[in-house]
PDB file of all heavy atoms in Angstrom:
ATOM      1  N   ALA A 510     103.840  92.766 107.606  1.00 88.00           N
ATOM      2  CA  ALA A 510     103.039  91.563 107.784  1.00 88.00           C
ATOM      3  C   ALA A 510     102.286  91.633 109.100  1.00 88.00           C
ATOM      4  O   ALA A 510     102.744  92.247 110.053  1.00 88.00           O
ATOM      5  CB  ALA A 510     103.932  90.310 107.713  1.00 88.00           C
ATOM      6  N   PHE A 511     101.146  90.981 109.090  1.00 85.00           N
ATOM      7  CA  PHE A 511     100.327  90.938 110.322  1.00 85.00           C
ATOM      8  C   PHE A 511     100.757  89.695 111.115  1.00 85.00           C
ATOM      9  O   PHE A 511     100.485  88.546 110.714  1.00 85.00           O
ATOM     10  CB  PHE A 511      98.855  90.860 109.967  1.00 85.00           C
ATOM     11  CG  PHE A 511      97.944  91.158 111.140  1.00 85.00           C
ATOM     12  CD1 PHE A 511      97.562  92.444 111.392  1.00 85.00           C
ATOM     13  CD2 PHE A 511      97.451  90.143 111.956  1.00 85.00           C
ATOM     14  CE1 PHE A 511      96.718  92.752 112.459  1.00 85.00           C
ATOM     15  CE2 PHE A 511      96.639  90.429 113.004  1.00 85.00           C
ATOM     16  CZ  PHE A 511      96.263  91.727 113.263  1.00 85.00           C
ATOM     17  N   VAL A 512     101.458  89.905 112.196  1.00 83.00           N
ATOM     18  CA  VAL A 512     102.039  88.818 112.983  1.00 83.00           C
ATOM     19  C   VAL A 512     101.589  88.971 114.432  1.00 83.00           C
ATOM     20  O   VAL A 512     101.052  90.016 114.840  1.00 83.00           O
ATOM     21  CB  VAL A 512     103.579  88.812 112.913  1.00 83.00           C
ATOM     22  CG1 VAL A 512     104.015  88.512 111.487  1.00 83.00           C
ATOM     23  CG2 VAL A 512     104.138  90.170 113.359  1.00 83.00           C
ATOM     24  N   GLN A 513     101.830  87.906 115.196  1.00 79.00           N
ATOM     25  CA  GLN A 513     101.516  87.933 116.614  1.00 79.00           C
ATOM     26  C   GLN A 513     102.478  88.868 117.370  1.00 79.00           C
ATOM     27  O   GLN A 513     103.595  89.037 116.975  1.00 79.00           O
ATOM     28  CB  GLN A 513     101.602  86.529 117.205  1.00 79.00           C
ATOM     29  CG  GLN A 513     100.654  85.519 116.573  1.00 79.00           C
ATOM     30  CD  GLN A 513     100.819  84.142 117.179  1.00 79.00           C
ATOM     31  OE1 GLN A 513     101.623  83.924 118.080  1.00 79.00           O
ATOM     32  NE2 GLN A 513     100.023  83.205 116.700  1.00 79.00           N
ATOM     33  N   GLN A 514     101.968  89.442 118.412  1.00 74.00           N
ATOM     34  CA  GLN A 514     102.765  90.339 119.205  1.00 74.00           C
ATOM     35  C   GLN A 514     103.779  89.587 120.081  1.00 74.00           C
ATOM     36  O   GLN A 514     104.857  90.106 120.342  1.00 74.00           O
ATOM     37  CB  GLN A 514     101.888  91.252 120.072  1.00 74.00           C
ATOM     38  CG  GLN A 514     101.072  92.238 119.279  1.00 74.00           C
ATOM     39  CD  GLN A 514     100.185  93.102 120.166  1.00 74.00           C
ATOM     40  OE1 GLN A 514      99.727  92.646 121.241  1.00 74.00           O
ATOM     41  NE2 GLN A 514      99.944  94.321 119.747  1.00 74.00           N
ATOM     42  N   ASP A 515     103.451  88.429 120.525  1.00 70.00           N
ATOM     43  CA  ASP A 515     104.345  87.602 121.316  1.00 70.00           C
ATOM     44  C   ASP A 515     103.890  86.144 121.209  1.00 70.00           C
ATOM     45  O   ASP A 515     102.988  85.800 120.432  1.00 70.00           O
ATOM     46  CB  ASP A 515     104.369  88.054 122.799  1.00 70.00           C
ATOM     47  CG  ASP A 515     102.979  88.198 123.398  1.00 70.00           C
ATOM     48  OD1 ASP A 515     102.076  87.444 122.967  1.00 70.00           O
ATOM     49  OD2 ASP A 515     102.765  89.075 124.246  1.00 70.00           O
ATOM     50  N   ASP A 516     104.530  85.284 121.961  1.00 67.00           N
ATOM     51  CA  ASP A 516     104.222  83.860 121.891  1.00 67.00           C
ATOM     52  C   ASP A 516     102.870  83.500 122.512  1.00 67.00           C
ATOM     53  O   ASP A 516     102.410  82.374 122.363  1.00 67.00           O
ATOM     54  CB  ASP A 516     105.328  83.071 122.609  1.00 67.00           C
ATOM     55  CG  ASP A 516     106.664  83.181 121.872  1.00 67.00           C
ATOM     56  OD1 ASP A 516     106.625  83.458 120.650  1.00 67.00           O
ATOM     57  OD2 ASP A 516     107.711  83.010 122.513  1.00 67.00           O
ATOM     58  N   SER A 517     102.253  84.425 123.213  1.00 67.00           N
ATOM     59  CA  SER A 517     100.959  84.126 123.811  1.00 67.00           C
ATOM     60  C   SER A 517      99.850  84.072 122.799  1.00 67.00           C
ATOM     61  O   SER A 517      98.742  83.654 123.097  1.00 67.00           O
ATOM     62  CB  SER A 517     100.640  85.171 124.871  1.00 67.00           C
ATOM     63  OG  SER A 517     100.501  86.457 124.288  1.00 67.00           O
ATOM     64  N   GLY A 518     100.095  84.516 121.557  1.00 66.00           N
ATOM     65  CA  GLY A 518      99.078  84.495 120.535  1.00 66.00           C
ATOM     66  C   GLY A 518      98.305  85.784 120.385  1.00 66.00           C
ATOM     67  O   GLY A 518      97.378  85.879 119.577  1.00 66.00           O
ATOM     68  N   SER A 519      98.606  86.786 121.151  1.00 73.00           N
ATOM     69  CA  SER A 519      97.913  88.064 121.078  1.00 73.00           C
ATOM     70  C   SER A 519      98.296  88.777 119.775  1.00 73.00           C
ATOM     71  O   SER A 519      99.419  88.696 119.309  1.00 73.00           O
ATOM     72  CB  SER A 519      98.255  88.940 122.267  1.00 73.00           C
ATOM     73  OG  SER A 519      99.648  89.228 122.312  1.00 73.00           O
ATOM     74  N   VAL A 520      97.333  89.481 119.208  1.00 78.00           N
ATOM     75  CA  VAL A 520      97.533  90.156 117.919  1.00 78.00           C
ATOM     76  C   VAL A 520      97.121  91.607 118.112  1.00 78.00           C
ATOM     77  O   VAL A 520      96.412  91.955 119.081  1.00 78.00           O
ATOM     78  CB  VAL A 520      96.710  89.483 116.811  1.00 78.00           C
ATOM     79  CG1 VAL A 520      97.206  88.089 116.532  1.00 78.00           C
ATOM     80  CG2 VAL A 520      95.214  89.498 117.150  1.00 78.00           C
ATOM     81  N   PRO A 521      97.534  92.472 117.214  1.00 83.00           N
ATOM     82  CA  PRO A 521      97.117  93.870 117.278  1.00 83.00           C
ATOM     83  C   PRO A 521      95.579  93.974 117.187  1.00 83.00           C
ATOM     84  O   PRO A 521      94.897  93.116 116.621  1.00 83.00           O
ATOM     85  CB  PRO A 521      97.809  94.534 116.095  1.00 83.00           C
ATOM     86  CG  PRO A 521      98.996  93.664 115.829  1.00 83.00           C
ATOM     87  CD  PRO A 521      98.575  92.274 116.180  1.00 83.00           C
ATOM     88  N   GLY A 522      95.067  95.085 117.653  1.00 85.00           N
ATOM     89  CA  GLY A 522      93.603  95.295 117.677  1.00 85.00           C
ATOM     90  C   GLY A 522      93.060  95.622 116.311  1.00 85.00           C
ATOM     91  O   GLY A 522      93.797  95.677 115.302  1.00 85.00           O
ATOM     92  N   PRO A 523      91.771  95.836 116.213  1.00 90.00           N
ATOM     93  CA  PRO A 523      91.125  96.133 114.901  1.00 90.00           C
ATOM     94  C   PRO A 523      91.666  97.457 114.317  1.00 90.00           C
ATOM     95  O   PRO A 523      92.017  98.394 115.023  1.00 90.00           O
ATOM     96  CB  PRO A 523      89.648  96.258 115.246  1.00 90.00           C
ATOM     97  CG  PRO A 523      89.492  95.569 116.559  1.00 90.00           C
ATOM     98  CD  PRO A 523      90.784  95.740 117.305  1.00 90.00           C
ATOM     99  N   SER A 524      91.708  97.456 112.992  1.00 91.00           N
ATOM    100  CA  SER A 524      92.096  98.646 112.241  1.00 91.00           C
ATOM    101  C   SER A 524      91.217  98.728 111.007  1.00 91.00           C
ATOM    102  O   SER A 524      90.284  97.909 110.840  1.00 91.00           O
ATOM    103  CB  SER A 524      93.575  98.603 111.854  1.00 91.00           C
ATOM    104  OG  SER A 524      93.831  97.505 110.997  1.00 91.00           O
ATOM    105  N   MET A 525      91.478  99.664 110.131  1.00 93.00           N
ATOM    106  CA  MET A 525      90.642  99.855 108.954  1.00 93.00           C
ATOM    107  C   MET A 525      90.934  98.804 107.872  1.00 93.00           C
ATOM    108  O   MET A 525      90.252  98.776 106.842  1.00 93.00           O
ATOM    109  CB  MET A 525      90.865 101.228 108.361  1.00 93.00           C
ATOM    110  CG  MET A 525      90.395 102.385 109.215  1.00 93.00           C
ATOM    111  SD  MET A 525      88.631 102.308 109.632  1.00 93.00           S
ATOM    112  CE  MET A 525      87.879 102.357 108.035  1.00 93.00           C
ATOM    113  N   GLY A 526      91.904  97.926 108.079  1.00 90.00           N
ATOM    114  CA  GLY A 526      92.186  96.855 107.121  1.00 90.00           C
ATOM    115  C   GLY A 526      91.430  95.588 107.455  1.00 90.00           C
ATOM    116  O   GLY A 526      90.599  95.521 108.394  1.00 90.00           O
ATOM    117  N   LEU A 527      91.721  94.540 106.675  1.00 89.00           N
ATOM    118  CA  LEU A 527      91.049  93.264 106.862  1.00 89.00           C
ATOM    119  C   LEU A 527      91.941  92.209 107.464  1.00 89.00           C
ATOM    120  O   LEU A 527      91.508  91.052 107.723  1.00 89.00           O
ATOM    121  CB  LEU A 527      90.536  92.744 105.473  1.00 89.00           C
ATOM    122  CG  LEU A 527      89.520  93.631 104.773  1.00 89.00           C
ATOM    123  CD1 LEU A 527      89.202  93.047 103.404  1.00 89.00           C
ATOM    124  CD2 LEU A 527      88.217  93.739 105.581  1.00 89.00           C
ATOM    125  N   HIS A 528      93.239  92.520 107.695  1.00 89.00           N
ATOM    126  CA  HIS A 528      94.167  91.521 108.185  1.00 89.00           C
ATOM    127  C   HIS A 528      93.784  90.992 109.549  1.00 89.00           C
ATOM    128  O   HIS A 528      93.855  89.812 109.812  1.00 89.00           O
ATOM    129  CB  HIS A 528      95.587  92.107 108.219  1.00 89.00           C
ATOM    130  CG  HIS A 528      96.126  92.501 106.867  1.00 89.00           C
ATOM    131  ND1 HIS A 528      95.654  93.608 106.217  1.00 89.00           N
ATOM    132  CD2 HIS A 528      97.068  91.945 106.098  1.00 89.00           C
ATOM    133  CE1 HIS A 528      96.288  93.750 105.058  1.00 89.00           C
ATOM    134  NE2 HIS A 528      97.145  92.740 104.946  1.00 89.00           N
ATOM    135  N   TRP A 529      93.381  91.874 110.438  1.00 89.00           N
ATOM    136  CA  TRP A 529      93.099  91.469 111.815  1.00 89.00           C
ATOM    137  C   TRP A 529      91.936  90.458 111.863  1.00 89.00           C
ATOM    138  O   TRP A 529      91.972  89.507 112.631  1.00 89.00           O
ATOM    139  CB  TRP A 529      92.779  92.690 112.659  1.00 89.00           C
ATOM    140  CG  TRP A 529      91.539  93.412 112.244  1.00 89.00           C
ATOM    141  CD1 TRP A 529      91.419  94.388 111.293  1.00 89.00           C
ATOM    142  CD2 TRP A 529      90.194  93.198 112.721  1.00 89.00           C
ATOM    143  NE1 TRP A 529      90.123  94.800 111.146  1.00 89.00           N
ATOM    144  CE2 TRP A 529      89.346  94.073 112.039  1.00 89.00           C
ATOM    145  CE3 TRP A 529      89.647  92.350 113.675  1.00 89.00           C
ATOM    146  CZ2 TRP A 529      87.976  94.163 112.234  1.00 89.00           C
ATOM    147  CZ3 TRP A 529      88.264  92.398 113.914  1.00 89.00           C
ATOM    148  CH2 TRP A 529      87.458  93.295 113.200  1.00 89.00           C
ATOM    149  N   TYR A 530      90.934  90.671 111.044  1.00 90.00           N
ATOM    150  CA  TYR A 530      89.762  89.763 111.073  1.00 90.00           C
ATOM    151  C   TYR A 530      90.113  88.399 110.479  1.00 90.00           C
ATOM    152  O   TYR A 530      89.761  87.361 111.019  1.00 90.00           O
ATOM    153  CB  TYR A 530      88.614  90.414 110.288  1.00 90.00           C
ATOM    154  CG  TYR A 530      87.333  89.669 110.388  1.00 90.00           C
ATOM    155  CD1 TYR A 530      86.434  89.859 111.434  1.00 90.00           C
ATOM    156  CD2 TYR A 530      86.956  88.765 109.364  1.00 90.00           C
ATOM    157  CE1 TYR A 530      85.254  89.157 111.518  1.00 90.00           C
ATOM    158  CE2 TYR A 530      85.743  88.052 109.433  1.00 90.00           C
ATOM    159  CZ  TYR A 530      84.910  88.260 110.501  1.00 90.00           C
ATOM    160  OH  TYR A 530      83.742  87.578 110.601  1.00 90.00           O
ATOM    161  N   MET A 531      90.806  88.383 109.336  1.00 88.00           N
ATOM    162  CA  MET A 531      91.197  87.139 108.706  1.00 88.00           C
ATOM    163  C   MET A 531      92.170  86.358 109.595  1.00 88.00           C
ATOM    164  O   MET A 531      92.094  85.118 109.628  1.00 88.00           O
ATOM    165  CB  MET A 531      91.816  87.448 107.344  1.00 88.00           C
ATOM    166  CG  MET A 531      90.871  88.059 106.355  1.00 88.00           C
ATOM    167  SD  MET A 531      89.513  86.967 105.902  1.00 88.00           S
ATOM    168  CE  MET A 531      88.676  87.963 104.675  1.00 88.00           C
ATOM    169  N   PHE A 532      93.084  87.059 110.211  1.00 85.00           N
ATOM    170  CA  PHE A 532      94.082  86.401 111.029  1.00 85.00           C
ATOM    171  C   PHE A 532      93.456  85.683 112.234  1.00 85.00           C
ATOM    172  O   PHE A 532      93.837  84.555 112.591  1.00 85.00           O
ATOM    173  CB  PHE A 532      95.112  87.386 111.510  1.00 85.00           C
ATOM    174  CG  PHE A 532      96.344  86.751 112.079  1.00 85.00           C
ATOM    175  CD1 PHE A 532      97.410  86.359 111.276  1.00 85.00           C
ATOM    176  CD2 PHE A 532      96.501  86.577 113.455  1.00 85.00           C
ATOM    177  CE1 PHE A 532      98.533  85.815 111.774  1.00 85.00           C
ATOM    178  CE2 PHE A 532      97.619  86.002 113.979  1.00 85.00           C
ATOM    179  CZ  PHE A 532      98.668  85.614 113.127  1.00 85.00           C
ATOM    180  N   VAL A 533      92.471  86.299 112.825  1.00 84.00           N
ATOM    181  CA  VAL A 533      91.782  85.695 113.960  1.00 84.00           C
ATOM    182  C   VAL A 533      90.959  84.487 113.527  1.00 84.00           C
ATOM    183  O   VAL A 533      90.870  83.487 114.285  1.00 84.00           O
ATOM    184  CB  VAL A 533      90.897  86.770 114.661  1.00 84.00           C
ATOM    185  CG1 VAL A 533      90.035  86.108 115.746  1.00 84.00           C
ATOM    186  CG2 VAL A 533      91.743  87.853 115.256  1.00 84.00           C
ATOM    187  N   GLN A 534      90.396  84.521 112.331  1.00 85.00           N
ATOM    188  CA  GLN A 534      89.570  83.414 111.873  1.00 85.00           C
ATOM    189  C   GLN A 534      90.408  82.223 111.414  1.00 85.00           C
ATOM    190  O   GLN A 534      89.858  81.110 111.228  1.00 85.00           O
ATOM    191  CB  GLN A 534      88.684  83.889 110.713  1.00 85.00           C
ATOM    192  CG  GLN A 534      87.731  85.009 111.050  1.00 85.00           C
ATOM    193  CD  GLN A 534      86.685  84.612 112.081  1.00 85.00           C
ATOM    194  OE1 GLN A 534      86.308  83.451 112.134  1.00 85.00           O
ATOM    195  NE2 GLN A 534      86.281  85.542 112.926  1.00 85.00           N
ATOM    196  N   MET A 535      91.711  82.421 111.220  1.00 84.00           N
ATOM    197  CA  MET A 535      92.567  81.358 110.734  1.00 84.00           C
ATOM    198  C   MET A 535      92.894  80.347 111.841  1.00 84.00           C
ATOM    199  O   MET A 535      93.003  80.722 113.026  1.00 84.00           O
ATOM    200  CB  MET A 535      93.886  81.948 110.208  1.00 84.00           C
ATOM    201  CG  MET A 535      93.761  82.581 108.848  1.00 84.00           C
ATOM    202  SD  MET A 535      93.740  81.344 107.549  1.00 84.00           S
ATOM    203  CE  MET A 535      93.438  82.409 106.149  1.00 84.00           C
ATOM    204  N   PHE A 536      93.068  79.064 111.459  1.00 85.00           N
ATOM    205  CA  PHE A 536      93.646  78.109 112.376  1.00 85.00           C
ATOM    206  C   PHE A 536      95.127  78.412 112.593  1.00 85.00           C
ATOM    207  O   PHE A 536      95.765  79.028 111.744  1.00 85.00           O
ATOM    208  CB  PHE A 536      93.456  76.703 111.826  1.00 85.00           C
ATOM    209  CG  PHE A 536      92.024  76.230 111.809  1.00 85.00           C
ATOM    210  CD1 PHE A 536      91.317  76.130 110.608  1.00 85.00           C
ATOM    211  CD2 PHE A 536      91.386  75.909 112.988  1.00 85.00           C
ATOM    212  CE1 PHE A 536      90.003  75.704 110.588  1.00 85.00           C
ATOM    213  CE2 PHE A 536      90.064  75.466 112.970  1.00 85.00           C
ATOM    214  CZ  PHE A 536      89.375  75.402 111.781  1.00 85.00           C
ATOM    215  N   ASP A 537      95.630  77.977 113.701  1.00 81.00           N
ATOM    216  CA  ASP A 537      97.004  78.313 114.062  1.00 81.00           C
ATOM    217  C   ASP A 537      97.985  77.779 113.017  1.00 81.00           C
ATOM    218  O   ASP A 537      98.991  78.426 112.714  1.00 81.00           O
ATOM    219  CB  ASP A 537      97.326  77.765 115.444  1.00 81.00           C
ATOM    220  CG  ASP A 537      96.533  78.457 116.544  1.00 81.00           C
ATOM    221  OD1 ASP A 537      96.058  79.554 116.266  1.00 81.00           O
ATOM    222  OD2 ASP A 537      96.438  77.882 117.649  1.00 81.00           O
ATOM    223  N   ARG A 538      97.718  76.605 112.498  1.00 85.00           N
ATOM    224  CA  ARG A 538      98.686  76.010 111.555  1.00 85.00           C
ATOM    225  C   ARG A 538      98.677  76.723 110.184  1.00 85.00           C
ATOM    226  O   ARG A 538      99.638  76.547 109.400  1.00 85.00           O
ATOM    227  CB  ARG A 538      98.381  74.526 111.349  1.00 85.00           C
ATOM    228  CG  ARG A 538      96.994  74.232 110.805  1.00 85.00           C
ATOM    229  CD  ARG A 538      96.783  72.722 110.704  1.00 85.00           C
ATOM    230  NE  ARG A 538      95.447  72.373 110.217  1.00 85.00           N
ATOM    231  CZ  ARG A 538      94.380  72.215 110.993  1.00 85.00           C
ATOM    232  NH1 ARG A 538      94.520  72.385 112.308  1.00 85.00           N
ATOM    233  NH2 ARG A 538      93.215  71.877 110.485  1.00 85.00           N
ATOM    234  N   PHE A 539      97.638  77.494 109.885  1.00 86.00           N
ATOM    235  CA  PHE A 539      97.561  78.192 108.619  1.00 86.00           C
ATOM    236  C   PHE A 539      98.008  79.665 108.709  1.00 86.00           C
ATOM    237  O   PHE A 539      98.067  80.373 107.713  1.00 86.00           O
ATOM    238  CB  PHE A 539      96.139  78.188 108.077  1.00 86.00           C
ATOM    239  CG  PHE A 539      95.668  76.820 107.668  1.00 86.00           C
ATOM    240  CD1 PHE A 539      94.513  76.300 108.199  1.00 86.00           C
ATOM    241  CD2 PHE A 539      96.397  76.063 106.782  1.00 86.00           C
ATOM    242  CE1 PHE A 539      94.088  75.053 107.838  1.00 86.00           C
ATOM    243  CE2 PHE A 539      95.967  74.801 106.386  1.00 86.00           C
ATOM    244  CZ  PHE A 539      94.808  74.280 106.945  1.00 86.00           C
ATOM    245  N   ARG A 540      98.299  80.136 109.919  1.00 84.00           N
ATOM    246  CA  ARG A 540      98.662  81.529 110.089  1.00 84.00           C
ATOM    247  C   ARG A 540      99.997  81.884 109.413  1.00 84.00           C
ATOM    248  O   ARG A 540     100.095  82.965 108.815  1.00 84.00           O
ATOM    249  CB  ARG A 540      98.708  81.878 111.580  1.00 84.00           C
ATOM    250  CG  ARG A 540      97.317  81.988 112.177  1.00 84.00           C
ATOM    251  CD  ARG A 540      97.333  82.444 113.620  1.00 84.00           C
ATOM    252  NE  ARG A 540      95.968  82.598 114.160  1.00 84.00           N
ATOM    253  CZ  ARG A 540      95.700  83.003 115.391  1.00 84.00           C
ATOM    254  NH1 ARG A 540      96.700  83.261 116.249  1.00 84.00           N
ATOM    255  NH2 ARG A 540      94.443  83.154 115.778  1.00 84.00           N
TER     256      ARG A 540
END
Side-chain angles (χ1 to χ4, degrees):
F511 195 88
V512 294
Q513 299 178 2
Q514 292 180 328
D515 51 31
D516 295 335
S517 64
S519 61
V520 295
S524 63
M525 294 301 300
L527 299 175
H528 297 73
W529 64 273
Y530 187 85
M531 296 295 184
F532 193 85
V533 172
Q534 300 296 328
M535 284 282 175
F536 292 106
D537 293 342
R538 60 181 178 273
F539 293 125
R540 286 184 176 181

